[in-house]
């Protein structure tokens, strides 16, 4: 978290860009980026639940699946995921199943978050691989996107 | 659970058949069936994590995605899912996100289960839709499949 902070912020910015693009598609604005251990971006995407008519098409699940396909492996050893919002239980567990090394996320989600809130997936004994978790990156920017999106819906 | 018990057992048998087929593909033997409210099977599948090189390709997620595609909707209102093993946190949350009405499962999974074990996803406040849960169908048959599979691995 020291020498790589500028790179981390760069990836989080790329994730925010994906969240912005998701908002324009009328999707809940969450974006994610997945990198390999050398810091190369393998996949970036935003929420596509409505577009794909797929309840599992959260940004995190999409980049996990795309990166697995690219690396031809169901284990993404030493990879990192950057996401604008605290993952829900589905995404948090998928990140564990994929053996992701580091999870960086933006805003906390007291309602549906499942890492530091709610079921706290990585704190459970049923979780056999626990990624390193770093949070709070561009928290306000991530929250603002969601706030505007849900305000417009009312 | 009264007059439909024979139908429930029939769907669980179909899920077990999918689990058996998964074992033959050298996948962890878990199978799932998804039906609409009239009791028509929309999708049935088994675990394909290795074959698809996809960490999210659990039987439950596959039938959720296939059924959503079929119904052209990310919400599977009034649908039921039948799975041979207690879902993990990823699958349990996906079942909730898809608004599945009823979850029927076979064996309990004290290790990775997330419905009646571990993080108990549906008991959490972060879970906004909680399906009705029925368990213990063909429990021994489901367990036996898994036991044989993991014995062969050693």
């Amino acid at each position: 978290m020291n020498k790589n902070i500028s790179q981390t912020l760069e990836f989080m910015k790329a994730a925010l860009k994906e969240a912005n693009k998701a908002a324009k598609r009328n999707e809940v604005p969450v974006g994610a980026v997945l990198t390999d251990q050398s810091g190369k971006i393998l996949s970036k995407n935003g929420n596509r639940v409505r577009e794909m008519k797929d309840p599992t098409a959260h940004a995190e699940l999409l980049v996990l699946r795309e990166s697995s396909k690219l690396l031809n492996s169901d284990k993404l050893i030493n990879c990192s995921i950057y996401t604008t919002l605290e993952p829900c239980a589905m995404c948090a567990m998928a990140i564990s199943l994929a053996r992701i090394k580091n999870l960086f996320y933006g805003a906390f989600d007291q309602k549906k978050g499942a890492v530091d809130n709610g079921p706290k997936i990585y704190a459970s004994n049923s979780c056999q691989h626990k990624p390193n978790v770093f949070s709070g990156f561009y928290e306000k920017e991530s929250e603002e996107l969601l706030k505007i999106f849900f305000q417009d819906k009312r």
Side-chain angles (χ1 to χ4, degrees), chain A:
Chain A
M1 281 301 297
N2 31 46
K3 65 175 176 176
N4 290 317
I5 183 70
S6 62
Q7 204 181 33
T8 300
L9 295 178
E10 186 196 313
F11 294 141
M12 281 304 301
K13 265 190 204 165
L16 265 174
K17 204 172 164 184
E18 294 301 318
N20 250 307
K21 282 156 75 181
K24 282 172 192 156
R25 291 191 303 268
N26 204 25
E27 303 273 359
V28 176
V30 178
V33 165
L34 204 148
T35 67
D36 68 11
Q37 62 181 327
S38 75
K40 184 184 149 200
I41 292 180
L42 297 176
S43 172
K44 47 186 179 174
N45 215 332
N47 195 355
R48 292 186 188 269
V49 168
R50 288 176 194 190
E51 177 196 308
M52 297 174 78
K53 310 266 198 282
D54 179 351
T56 74
H58 284 189
E60 299 93 320
L61 236 69
L62 293 177
V63 297
L64 286 170
R65 297 182 59 223
E66 286 161 4
S67 301
S68 295
K69 205 166 190 176
L70 202 70
L71 297 186
N72 200 33
S73 169
D74 64 294
K75 303 277 184 293
L76 301 171
I77 313 289
N78 289 325
C79 290
S80 298
I81 191 167
Y82 302 78
T83 178
T84 56
L85 187 66
E86 180 182 351
C88 75
M90 174 182 72
C91 295
M93 190 63 198
I95 287 166
S96 166
L97 290 168
R99 303 285 184 272
I100 292 286
K101 188 176 180 183
N102 304 304
L103 159 63
F104 299 84
Y105 75 82
F108 292 86
D109 186 355
Q110 292 193 329
K111 245 174 139 182
K112 297 183 193 174
V115 174
D116 291 301
N117 285 290
K120 297 185 181 176
I121 295 298
Y122 306 137
S124 166
N125 283 339
S126 70
C127 182
Q128 297 181 320
H129 170 84
K130 301 164 200 283
N132 304 313
V133 179
F134 309 96
S135 56
F137 302 93
Y138 295 116
E139 195 177 349
K140 282 182 190 168
E141 288 84 346
S142 298
E143 272 173 358
E144 194 63 18
L145 266 179
L146 289 156
K147 205 174 142 187
I148 293 168
F149 179 80
F150 286 110
Q151 266 172 354
D152 285 352
K153 294 284 144 203
R154 276 178 207 127

